[in-house]
PDB file of all heavy atoms in Angstrom:
ATOM      1  N   SER F 107       8.008  42.902  13.033  1.00 94.00           N
ATOM      2  CA  SER F 107       8.119  43.905  11.966  1.00 94.00           C
ATOM      3  C   SER F 107       9.145  44.998  12.310  1.00 94.00           C
ATOM      4  O   SER F 107       9.600  45.710  11.431  1.00 94.00           O
ATOM      5  CB  SER F 107       6.761  44.523  11.679  1.00 94.00           C
ATOM      6  OG  SER F 107       6.250  45.095  12.850  1.00 94.00           O
ATOM      7  N   GLU F 144       0.440  47.063   1.451  1.00 97.00           N
ATOM      8  CA  GLU F 144      -0.469  48.169   1.781  1.00 97.00           C
ATOM      9  C   GLU F 144      -1.917  47.756   1.553  1.00 97.00           C
ATOM     10  O   GLU F 144      -2.203  47.018   0.607  1.00 97.00           O
ATOM     11  CB  GLU F 144      -0.188  49.373   0.861  1.00 97.00           C
ATOM     12  CG  GLU F 144       1.244  49.896   0.929  1.00 97.00           C
ATOM     13  CD  GLU F 144       1.602  50.488   2.279  1.00 97.00           C
ATOM     14  OE1 GLU F 144       0.750  51.199   2.856  1.00 97.00           O
ATOM     15  OE2 GLU F 144       2.714  50.231   2.774  1.00 97.00           O
ATOM     16  N   PHE F 182      -4.156  26.465   1.803  1.00 98.00           N
ATOM     17  CA  PHE F 182      -4.708  26.672   3.144  1.00 98.00           C
ATOM     18  C   PHE F 182      -4.881  28.163   3.349  1.00 98.00           C
ATOM     19  O   PHE F 182      -4.278  28.977   2.636  1.00 98.00           O
ATOM     20  CB  PHE F 182      -3.802  26.061   4.226  1.00 98.00           C
ATOM     21  CG  PHE F 182      -2.392  26.577   4.218  1.00 98.00           C
ATOM     22  CD1 PHE F 182      -2.003  27.609   5.063  1.00 98.00           C
ATOM     23  CD2 PHE F 182      -1.440  26.029   3.382  1.00 98.00           C
ATOM     24  CE1 PHE F 182      -0.694  28.088   5.066  1.00 98.00           C
ATOM     25  CE2 PHE F 182      -0.128  26.505   3.373  1.00 98.00           C
ATOM     26  CZ  PHE F 182       0.238  27.534   4.213  1.00 98.00           C
ATOM     27  N   LYS F 188      -9.267  40.179  11.873  1.00 97.00           N
ATOM     28  CA  LYS F 188      -9.002  41.050  13.014  1.00 97.00           C
ATOM     29  C   LYS F 188      -7.568  41.592  13.055  1.00 97.00           C
ATOM     30  O   LYS F 188      -7.236  42.387  13.918  1.00 97.00           O
ATOM     31  CB  LYS F 188      -9.408  40.375  14.326  1.00 97.00           C
ATOM     32  CG  LYS F 188      -8.729  39.106  14.676  1.00 97.00           C
ATOM     33  CD  LYS F 188      -9.213  38.672  16.086  1.00 97.00           C
ATOM     34  CE  LYS F 188      -8.404  37.517  16.601  1.00 97.00           C
ATOM     35  NZ  LYS F 188      -9.058  36.257  16.652  1.00 97.00           N
ATOM     36  N   GLN F 200       7.353  31.395   8.752  1.00 96.00           N
ATOM     37  CA  GLN F 200       8.456  30.476   9.021  1.00 96.00           C
ATOM     38  C   GLN F 200       8.161  29.177   8.275  1.00 96.00           C
ATOM     39  O   GLN F 200       7.068  28.609   8.417  1.00 96.00           O
ATOM     40  CB  GLN F 200       8.555  30.186  10.524  1.00 96.00           C
ATOM     41  CG  GLN F 200       9.806  29.412  10.874  1.00 96.00           C
ATOM     42  CD  GLN F 200       9.657  28.641  12.172  1.00 96.00           C
ATOM     43  OE1 GLN F 200       8.741  27.847  12.340  1.00 96.00           O
ATOM     44  NE2 GLN F 200      10.553  28.875  13.094  1.00 96.00           N
ATOM     45  N   TYR F 216      11.143  12.071  -3.994  1.00 89.00           N
ATOM     46  CA  TYR F 216      11.291  13.203  -4.910  1.00 89.00           C
ATOM     47  C   TYR F 216      11.863  14.391  -4.138  1.00 89.00           C
ATOM     48  O   TYR F 216      11.900  14.386  -2.912  1.00 89.00           O
ATOM     49  CB  TYR F 216       9.971  13.561  -5.610  1.00 89.00           C
ATOM     50  CG  TYR F 216       8.709  13.376  -4.807  1.00 89.00           C
ATOM     51  CD1 TYR F 216       8.202  14.419  -4.041  1.00 89.00           C
ATOM     52  CD2 TYR F 216       8.024  12.166  -4.820  1.00 89.00           C
ATOM     53  CE1 TYR F 216       7.037  14.257  -3.311  1.00 89.00           C
ATOM     54  CE2 TYR F 216       6.856  11.992  -4.082  1.00 89.00           C
ATOM     55  CZ  TYR F 216       6.371  13.044  -3.334  1.00 89.00           C
ATOM     56  OH  TYR F 216       5.219  12.880  -2.604  1.00 89.00           O
ATOM     57  N   ASP F 233     -18.584  45.256   3.196  1.00 93.00           N
ATOM     58  CA  ASP F 233     -20.047  45.334   3.020  1.00 93.00           C
ATOM     59  C   ASP F 233     -20.641  43.956   2.717  1.00 93.00           C
ATOM     60  O   ASP F 233     -20.052  42.946   3.043  1.00 93.00           O
ATOM     61  CB  ASP F 233     -20.407  46.349   1.917  1.00 93.00           C
ATOM     62  CG  ASP F 233     -19.734  47.702   2.166  1.00 93.00           C
ATOM     63  OD1 ASP F 233     -19.577  48.059   3.357  1.00 93.00           O
ATOM     64  OD2 ASP F 233     -19.353  48.364   1.189  1.00 93.00           O
ATOM     65  N   LEU F 254     -23.962  21.506 -12.207  1.00 98.00           N
ATOM     66  CA  LEU F 254     -23.006  22.295 -11.427  1.00 98.00           C
ATOM     67  C   LEU F 254     -23.496  22.410  -9.986  1.00 98.00           C
ATOM     68  O   LEU F 254     -24.571  22.961  -9.732  1.00 98.00           O
ATOM     69  CB  LEU F 254     -22.849  23.694 -12.042  1.00 98.00           C
ATOM     70  CG  LEU F 254     -21.661  24.484 -11.515  1.00 98.00           C
ATOM     71  CD1 LEU F 254     -20.340  23.844 -11.945  1.00 98.00           C
ATOM     72  CD2 LEU F 254     -21.703  25.924 -12.016  1.00 98.00           C
ATOM     73  N   ALA F 276     -30.773  32.109 -10.587  1.00 97.00           N
ATOM     74  CA  ALA F 276     -30.704  32.819  -9.308  1.00 97.00           C
ATOM     75  C   ALA F 276     -30.733  31.760  -8.215  1.00 97.00           C
ATOM     76  O   ALA F 276     -31.510  30.810  -8.270  1.00 97.00           O
ATOM     77  CB  ALA F 276     -31.890  33.752  -9.167  1.00 97.00           C
ATOM     78  N   ASN F 281     -29.804  31.610   5.737  1.00 89.00           N
ATOM     79  CA  ASN F 281     -28.958  31.642   6.933  1.00 89.00           C
ATOM     80  C   ASN F 281     -27.480  31.809   6.616  1.00 89.00           C
ATOM     81  O   ASN F 281     -26.623  31.087   7.116  1.00 89.00           O
ATOM     82  CB  ASN F 281     -29.144  30.362   7.765  1.00 89.00           C
ATOM     83  CG  ASN F 281     -30.580  30.176   8.151  1.00 89.00           C
ATOM     84  OD1 ASN F 281     -31.287  31.161   8.412  1.00 89.00           O
ATOM     85  ND2 ASN F 281     -31.030  28.934   8.158  1.00 89.00           N
ATOM     86  N   ASN F 324     -18.677  13.128 -17.255  1.00 98.00           N
ATOM     87  CA  ASN F 324     -19.158  12.088 -16.358  1.00 98.00           C
ATOM     88  C   ASN F 324     -18.123  10.981 -16.365  1.00 98.00           C
ATOM     89  O   ASN F 324     -17.676  10.558 -17.423  1.00 98.00           O
ATOM     90  CB  ASN F 324     -20.512  11.591 -16.897  1.00 98.00           C
ATOM     91  CG  ASN F 324     -21.126  10.536 -16.021  1.00 98.00           C
ATOM     92  OD1 ASN F 324     -20.606   9.430 -15.915  1.00 98.00           O
ATOM     93  ND2 ASN F 324     -22.226  10.880 -15.392  1.00 98.00           N
ATOM     94  N   GLY F 336     -19.910   7.959 -20.622  1.00 98.00           N
ATOM     95  CA  GLY F 336     -20.588   6.727 -21.033  1.00 98.00           C
ATOM     96  C   GLY F 336     -19.802   5.875 -22.017  1.00 98.00           C
ATOM     97  O   GLY F 336     -20.210   4.755 -22.339  1.00 98.00           O
ATOM     98  N   ASP F 349       9.185  19.533 -11.551  1.00 97.00           N
ATOM     99  CA  ASP F 349      10.592  19.762 -11.238  1.00 97.00           C
ATOM    100  C   ASP F 349      11.280  20.227 -12.513  1.00 97.00           C
ATOM    101  O   ASP F 349      11.132  19.593 -13.563  1.00 97.00           O
ATOM    102  CB  ASP F 349      11.243  18.466 -10.733  1.00 97.00           C
ATOM    103  CG  ASP F 349      12.538  18.729  -9.989  1.00 97.00           C
ATOM    104  OD1 ASP F 349      13.048  19.857 -10.045  1.00 97.00           O
ATOM    105  OD2 ASP F 349      13.040  17.775  -9.354  1.00 97.00           O
ATOM    106  N   LYS F 363       3.172  24.077 -19.400  1.00 98.00           N
ATOM    107  CA  LYS F 363       2.491  23.961 -20.697  1.00 98.00           C
ATOM    108  C   LYS F 363       3.398  23.274 -21.713  1.00 98.00           C
ATOM    109  O   LYS F 363       2.958  22.412 -22.472  1.00 98.00           O
ATOM    110  CB  LYS F 363       2.078  25.350 -21.198  1.00 98.00           C
ATOM    111  CG  LYS F 363       1.250  25.281 -22.464  1.00 98.00           C
ATOM    112  CD  LYS F 363       0.565  26.574 -22.755  1.00 98.00           C
ATOM    113  CE  LYS F 363      -0.349  26.393 -23.965  1.00 98.00           C
ATOM    114  NZ  LYS F 363      -1.056  27.598 -24.326  1.00 98.00           N
ATOM    115  N   PRO F 382      -1.144  16.715  -5.063  1.00 98.00           N
ATOM    116  CA  PRO F 382      -2.059  17.691  -5.667  1.00 98.00           C
ATOM    117  C   PRO F 382      -1.281  18.798  -6.377  1.00 98.00           C
ATOM    118  O   PRO F 382      -0.206  19.198  -5.927  1.00 98.00           O
ATOM    119  CB  PRO F 382      -2.825  18.251  -4.466  1.00 98.00           C
ATOM    120  CG  PRO F 382      -2.686  17.217  -3.396  1.00 98.00           C
ATOM    121  CD  PRO F 382      -1.351  16.594  -3.596  1.00 98.00           C
ATOM    122  N   VAL F 428      -5.779  13.315   6.509  1.00 98.00           N
ATOM    123  CA  VAL F 428      -7.187  13.662   6.229  1.00 98.00           C
ATOM    124  C   VAL F 428      -7.283  15.105   5.751  1.00 98.00           C
ATOM    125  O   VAL F 428      -7.936  15.395   4.741  1.00 98.00           O
ATOM    126  CB  VAL F 428      -8.074  13.418   7.477  1.00 98.00           C
ATOM    127  CG1 VAL F 428      -9.458  14.030   7.293  1.00 98.00           C
ATOM    128  CG2 VAL F 428      -8.195  11.924   7.764  1.00 98.00           C
ATOM    129  N   HIS F 494     -12.012  -2.711  -1.434  1.00 96.00           N
ATOM    130  CA  HIS F 494     -13.412  -2.289  -1.228  1.00 96.00           C
ATOM    131  C   HIS F 494     -13.532  -0.766  -1.085  1.00 96.00           C
ATOM    132  O   HIS F 494     -14.629  -0.223  -1.127  1.00 96.00           O
ATOM    133  CB  HIS F 494     -14.013  -2.979   0.009  1.00 96.00           C
ATOM    134  CG  HIS F 494     -13.293  -2.633   1.292  1.00 96.00           C
ATOM    135  ND1 HIS F 494     -12.025  -3.074   1.573  1.00 96.00           N
ATOM    136  CD2 HIS F 494     -13.669  -1.885   2.349  1.00 96.00           C
ATOM    137  CE1 HIS F 494     -11.640  -2.615   2.755  1.00 96.00           C
ATOM    138  NE2 HIS F 494     -12.627  -1.881   3.247  1.00 96.00           N
ATOM    139  N   SER F 571      20.691   2.170 -21.032  1.00 96.00           N
ATOM    140  CA  SER F 571      20.702   2.889 -22.314  1.00 96.00           C
ATOM    141  C   SER F 571      19.286   3.312 -22.678  1.00 96.00           C
ATOM    142  O   SER F 571      18.302   2.718 -22.230  1.00 96.00           O
ATOM    143  CB  SER F 571      21.282   2.005 -23.422  1.00 96.00           C
ATOM    144  OG  SER F 571      20.369   0.954 -23.732  1.00 96.00           O
TER     145      SER F 571
END
Side-chain angles (χ1 to χ4, degrees):
S107 58
E144 302 294 319
F182 57 96
K188 60 176 189 252
Q200 189 204 55
Y216 34 91
D233 308 326
L254 193 67
N281 303 325
N324 182 293
D349 198 348
K363 186 165 185 180
V428 169
H494 62 290
S571 70

